Amino acid sequence: MTIKLGVPSKGRLMEKTFEWFAERGITLRRTGSEREYAGAVDGAEGVELVLLSAGEIPRELAAGRIHMGVTGSDLVRDKLADWETQVAELAPMGFGHADLIIAVPTCWADVDTLEDLDAAAHAFRAAHGFRLRIATKYHRLVREFLTREGVADYQLVDSQGATEGTVKNLTAEAIADITSSGETLRANHLKILSDGLIHQSQATLFAARAADWQGQEAALAALATQLGVAPPKL
């Protein structure tokens, strides 16, 4: 039996994850060709590396097919209902920072807050006969946030890429998306609402509650000690 560790399979997230584990004495590395999703672990007994896309890792954690995984905290919260009952958050890793925000056209001079957005949504529906459209791929997080903040008369439209362009393309009136620097928003003449921060995301190490941990208690405790994190209460 081994502890299966899911890690992003490419790009900066993979590189920074490898660095984070290396700083704690564990070497993660790809094996085979660039097209092969195979890897190896040195410096930790009983750990198997599983290379996945960051978007797949929350699903694999929830299903218990991997024991631990590294992915964005935004993805776990959006893809998993009642996420804390399905995974345990072990450690924020200090990279992959991005903010999930609500943004509207800069020409909306009178819309700066969520209260303003709510008023604009009411006016939009009265004028156009349908609800104001907010483009996003983060449906659960955005809906929960807007419900909590009392914003109504909107509809979410799905956008799996180039979300900032949906307003210009007239397929949405506002967006909810991840941003790091805000440059793409500004380039598309969008502004972040002053109270429109939904979630501050970063790469995070999670443990799966549904995974088979039987017989793995000692290995988990040793790995947690090596990583400098508290063993999860599973």
Side-chain angles (χ1 to χ4, degrees):
M1 291 289 290
T2 59
I3 293 176
K4 293 183 177 180
L5 170 65
V7 165
S9 59
K10 58 185 177 181
R12 182 171 170 78
L13 267 183
M14 182 190 74
E15 293 167 3
K16 296 297 288 185
T17 299
F18 283 12
E19 289 176 13
W20 190 89
F21 277 88
E23 289 168 359
R24 290 154 180 81
I26 298 174
T27 301
L28 308 181
R29 54 187 172 85
R30 294 191 67 147
T31 58
S33 72
E34 281 296 308
R35 295 182 181 273
E36 290 182 77
Y37 292 101
V41 179
D42 299 314
E45 290 295 322
V47 179
E48 176 186 348
L49 182 60
V50 181
L51 295 169
L52 300 162
S53 75
E56 290 176 316
I57 289 173
R59 181 190 66 205
E60 296 301 294
L61 285 166
R65 288 188 285 265
I66 57 176
H67 294 82
M68 302 170 75
V70 175
T71 190
S73 56
D74 59 312
L75 294 176
V76 163
R77 285 160 172 78
D78 192 67
K79 291 179 179 290
L80 304 184
D82 299 320
W83 66 274
E84 289 174 300
T85 66
Q86 299 192 62
V87 298
E89 188 174 289
L90 298 184
M93 301 173 77
F95 58 87
H97 293 280
D99 293 340
L100 177 58
I101 53 82
I102 303 279
V104 300
T106 53
C107 62
W108 288 12
D110 294 332
V111 180
D112 182 60
T113 66
L114 290 166
E115 185 177 2
D116 297 335
L117 179 64
D118 186 48
H122 282 293
F124 183 91
R125 188 179 186 187
H128 298 280
F130 62 93
R131 295 176 188 269
L132 182 145
R133 298 166 296 178
I134 302 175
T136 190
K137 69 176 181 179
Y138 296 94
H139 291 248
R140 189 190 310 278
L141 275 174
V142 174
R143 188 178 295 111
E144 290 177 352
F145 175 76
L146 292 176
T147 299
R148 188 166 63 246
E149 297 296 328
V151 178
D153 276 339
Y154 70 89
Q155 58 181 311
L156 298 182
V157 293
D158 191 54
S159 175
Q160 294 298 320
T163 302
E164 297 91 346
T166 57
V167 174
K168 182 179 179 181
N169 295 332
L170 305 181
T171 56
E173 286 69 51
I175 72 165
D177 201 17
I178 284 285
T179 183
S180 297
S181 66
E183 289 181 13
T184 306
L185 294 173
R186 289 188 289 273
N188 285 277
H189 310 291
L190 298 170
K191 63 180 181 179
I192 301 171
L193 295 181
S194 60
D195 54 355
L197 175 63
I198 299 172
H199 177 66
Q200 290 182 301
S201 180
Q202 66 173 301
T204 303
L205 177 63
F206 294 95
R209 298 191 187 281
D212 182 6
W213 290 100
Q214 188 172 358
Q216 302 280 26
E217 295 84 359
L220 175 60
L223 180 59
T225 299
Q226 191 168 357
L227 295 176
V229 303
K233 296 179 180 179
L234 302 166

